[in-house]
């Protein structure tokens, strides 16, 4: 089946739940405005299931209703993982055998972004979700610059460390700050270093669209749910080249790091 409908109470009933905020105090008129918006978005009928004042002059709503829109799964475009998922042992072995030096990684949160949870989860030894971060890999040399790093400082550190890859986490997304910062970063690296000398540029964050890598001037975008093991495997694939390790297949399921 390629054509599907949303599911709420029964299969194919088209019911969806939607939350949003309107810049209006909570009263009966505000609730009517929320239902009007839901109706204009194609929810018919729409039911208000939650409304709560959020500070002065703002109300948060949850509405529930039926839509007639269909989804064609054959037309869904996503970025599939196109590299083998390796274990820590495999990553180290491939780098040591084929690169014959440690692979240098520099990571940071740039601009005014002070949210280091994402970059720390990927880089720090403790890692996330049972997987250790890139600092655990003996054949990776990791420099974590932390939060609120300026683009010029990032470029200079990458140059000093002879970085093979630069990992940037962006959580702050107001007014598309994550997109602006990423474009500024990629432009700075293009200006500072010739094509053959530039490190791999990787960005990650919950609001990025993986399909925008080319538009933003980066090599790869990782979104929510990415693990250190995925990033390490991608680094090996993109920098060292396809692995000839017998366990390095696209459906490798060897345990966590």
């Amino acid at each position: 089946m390629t054509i599907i409908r949303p599911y709420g109470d029964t299969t194919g009933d088209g019911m969806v739940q939607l939350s949003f905020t309107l810049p209006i105090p909570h009263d009966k008129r505000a609730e009517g405005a929320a239902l009007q918006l839901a109706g204009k978005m194609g929810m018919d009928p729409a039911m208000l299931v939650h409304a709560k004042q959020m500070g002065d002059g703002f109300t948060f709503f949850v509405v529930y209703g039926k839509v007639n829109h269909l989804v064609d799964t054959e037309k869904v475009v996503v970025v599939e993982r196109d590299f083998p998922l390796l274990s820590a042992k495999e990553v180290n072995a491939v780098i040591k055998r084929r690169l014959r030096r440690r692979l240098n990684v520099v990571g940071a949160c740039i601009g005014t972004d002070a949210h280091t949870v994402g970059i720390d989860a990927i880089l720090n030894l403790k890692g996330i979700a049972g997987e250790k971060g890139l600092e655990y890999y003996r054949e990776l040399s990791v420099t974590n610059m932390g939060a609120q790093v300026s683009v010029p400082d990032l470029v200079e550190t990458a140059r000093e460390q002879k970085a093979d890859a630069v990992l940037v986490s962006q959580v702050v997304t107001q007014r598309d700050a994550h997109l602006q910062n990423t474009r500024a970063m990629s432009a700075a690296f293009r200006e500072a270093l010739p094509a053959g000398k530039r490190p791999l540029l990787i960005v990650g964050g919950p609001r990025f669209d993986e399909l925008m890598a080319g538009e933003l001037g980066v090599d790869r975008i990782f979104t929510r749910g990415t693990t250190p093991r995925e990033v390490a495997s991608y680094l090996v694939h993109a920098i060292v080249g396809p692995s000839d390790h017998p366990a390095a297949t696209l459906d490798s399921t060897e345990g966590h790091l």
Side-chain angles (χ1 to χ4, degrees), residues 233-250:
S233 298
Y234 172 71
L235 292 177
V236 167
H237 174 79
I239 296 172
V240 182
S243 172
D244 55 2
H245 191 285
T249 59
L250 282 175

Side-chain angles (χ1 to χ4, degrees), residues 1-171:
M1 179 183 296
T2 62
I3 304 298
I4 58 176
R5 293 179 182 271
Y7 165 87
D9 298 316
T10 59
T11 301
D13 61 10
M15 301 298 286
V16 299
Q17 183 168 286
L18 176 70
S19 64
F20 53 86
T21 301
L22 291 178
I24 186 172
H26 180 211
D27 57 17
K28 286 292 185 179
R29 184 172 295 274
E31 294 185 358
L35 290 175
Q36 182 186 111
L37 176 62
K40 290 184 176 181
M41 296 176 71
M43 298 178 70
D44 182 24
M47 297 169 282
L48 182 66
V49 297
H50 177 76
K52 182 177 179 61
Q53 182 102 0
M54 303 293 288
D56 294 334
F58 293 88
T59 305
F60 175 75
F61 300 95
V62 177
V63 294
Y64 184 68
K66 182 177 182 178
V67 298
N68 294 315
H69 308 297
L70 304 176
V71 175
D72 186 347
T73 59
E74 292 295 324
K75 295 182 179 179
V76 175
V77 180
V78 296
V79 176
E80 299 282 1
R81 178 166 59 83
D82 55 357
F83 54 89
L85 189 60
L86 307 178
S87 69
K89 182 178 179 180
E90 291 166 351
V91 167
N92 289 325
V94 173
I95 294 174
K96 185 175 183 178
R97 182 174 66 252
R98 301 182 63 176
L99 195 59
R100 297 184 178 181
R101 62 169 176 81
R102 299 181 79 189
L103 191 153
N104 299 314
V105 178
V106 172
C109 296
I110 59 175
T112 59
D113 202 324
H115 299 77
T116 62
V117 174
I119 196 69
D120 287 344
I122 298 299
L123 299 183
N124 286 1
L125 180 62
K126 63 182 180 181
I128 189 174
E131 293 189 13
K132 296 185 184 299
L134 301 191
E135 291 178 350
Y136 171 74
Y137 295 71
R138 65 175 182 271
E139 296 300 328
L140 295 180
S141 175
V142 177
T143 301
N144 188 346
M145 298 181 67
Q148 298 182 321
V149 176
S150 71
V151 169
D153 285 348
L154 178 62
V155 173
E156 184 57 32
T157 299
R159 195 202 308 264
E160 290 174 355
Q161 299 296 325
K162 297 181 180 179
D164 297 293
V166 170
L167 276 57
V168 166
S169 174
Q170 291 281 265
V171 175

Side-chain angles (χ1 to χ4, degrees), residues 180-211:
Q180 297 169 21
N181 289 340
T182 300
R183 290 191 179 99
M185 176 194 67
S186 60
F189 274 100
R190 287 196 303 270
E191 182 177 344
L193 298 167
K197 300 293 184 179
R198 287 196 293 269
L200 204 67
L201 299 181
I202 303 169
V203 296
R207 292 283 295 277
F208 278 106
D209 181 348
E210 293 175 298
L211 298 173

